[in-house]
Amino acid sequence: CKEHLNNADMRSWYGDWKLYIKEFDTVMIADAIRGRDVIEFIRRVNPNARIIIYYLNSVLDNGRNSPDKYNGLSCELYTFDKKNAREYNIEFRHFFYRYMNRKECKIEVADDSIMQDVFFVGSDKGRLNELMALAAKLEALGITSRVLVERTRHKFYWGAKRQATISRAIPYEDVIKNIRQSKAILDIVQKGQHGLTWRPMEAMCFRKKLITNDPEMES
């Protein structure tokens, strides 16, 4: 029941990271966390740690990752989205791509290793219909594509939409493999998003063409 969960020791829900968290002086957390208890636990175990919450996705009003959920906690909030930075009065920091220095980014790919012209991978986020339509248009033009759309949890998919989606995210090593086997990366930003995502970074890193509907790329 809710009362039982509120009084429970939430550490049993955490991964092995809880065993080593006191060894670090800085902790950066993506916004897909369950709630305040994670921050409270880290602060209790490691009082002097610098705790940063970095919003990798657009903030959702009243969602579990909304900035107001962390009022009163000793942590820093940053976002890649300029509009969210203004609306929620949190710091803007350009999107970071931690794989930019990987050795394989600099390796040229032979033409015979290219498997498709265009590659996209990402979660649905209301983009599925547009992505399916784009894939059909590319096919009609003789342009090969590989479009992997992860289903939204607890959302029902049927027919063609179910066949066009995958049930879970693929390992990032597989994403890199697909990028290297493609001529271009497709970037379809979700409605209301302001700020660069991983795909432009991946295109720069792996020297691929970028196809995007992001109007901010023109500025």
Side-chain angles (χ1 to χ4, degrees):
C1 66
K2 184 175 180 180
E3 181 179 358
H4 175 73
L5 288 175
N6 288 339
N7 293 328
D9 185 348
M10 302 302 291
R11 287 176 297 178
S12 60
W13 295 77
Y14 304 156
D16 289 343
W17 60 264
K18 67 176 178 285
L19 304 175
Y20 314 104
I21 200 68
K22 62 183 177 183
E23 301 175 11
F24 299 93
D25 55 16
T26 302
V27 179
M28 179 176 284
I29 306 173
D31 56 359
I33 60 177
R34 187 181 60 254
R36 292 173 59 95
D37 61 279
V38 175
I39 309 301
E40 292 169 342
F41 170 77
I42 295 172
R43 181 60 66 209
R44 185 166 63 252
V45 174
N46 192 341
N48 298 317
R50 180 186 181 190
I51 303 176
I52 300 171
I53 297 178
Y54 188 92
Y55 286 89
L56 296 169
N57 292 287
S58 296
V59 175
L60 302 176
D61 289 331
N62 299 317
R64 67 178 181 180
N65 65 343
S66 181
D68 60 12
K69 297 292 191 297
Y70 303 100
N71 288 339
L73 295 179
S74 180
C75 59
E76 304 168 39
L77 277 65
Y78 299 125
T79 177
F80 82 106
D81 189 311
K82 291 182 178 180
K83 184 172 182 288
N84 280 341
R86 294 192 300 269
E87 289 182 350
Y88 294 94
N89 194 30
I90 57 180
E91 293 289 332
F92 167 76
R93 291 289 186 272
H94 281 290
F95 199 92
F96 65 92
Y97 184 61
R98 59 182 177 177
Y99 299 92
M100 190 62 77
N101 293 323
R102 291 173 65 113
K103 182 179 179 181
E104 62 263 39
C105 291
K106 303 174 177 64
I107 298 175
E108 295 293 340
V109 178
D111 290 339
D112 59 2
S113 67
I114 297 296
M115 303 297 293
Q116 58 269 330
D117 296 313
V118 179
F119 174 65
F120 173 89
V121 63
S123 53
D124 180 353
K125 295 182 179 178
R127 299 176 288 189
L128 180 56
N129 288 338
E130 184 175 3
L131 286 164
M132 290 177 66
L134 276 171
K137 289 180 180 179
L138 291 172
E139 183 179 357
L141 293 170
I143 300 172
T144 59
S145 65
R146 181 169 172 78
V147 178
L148 302 177
V149 184
E150 182 186 0
R151 297 171 196 147
T152 299
R153 189 175 299 178
H154 307 308
K155 180 179 178 179
F156 183 69
Y157 295 79
W158 64 93
K161 290 187 176 181
R162 186 169 185 84
Q163 294 177 1
T165 55
I166 56 178
S167 60
R168 64 184 65 183
I170 65 173
Y172 195 67
E173 292 299 324
D174 290 345
V175 173
I176 291 176
K177 180 180 178 181
N178 277 278
I179 289 172
R180 296 190 63 208
Q181 293 176 340
S182 306
K183 294 180 181 178
I185 296 173
L186 178 60
D187 176 44
I188 301 298
V189 299
Q190 59 183 313
K191 185 178 179 180
Q193 178 178 305
H194 299 268
L196 296 181
T197 63
W198 277 33
R199 295 174 191 89
M201 304 295 184
E202 290 166 340
M204 288 188 290
C205 175
F206 292 96
R207 304 176 186 178
K208 301 295 181 178
K209 293 181 179 180
L210 180 70
I211 303 171
T212 181
N213 67 341
D214 186 354
E216 295 186 6
M217 292 295 291
E218 298 177 0
S219 58

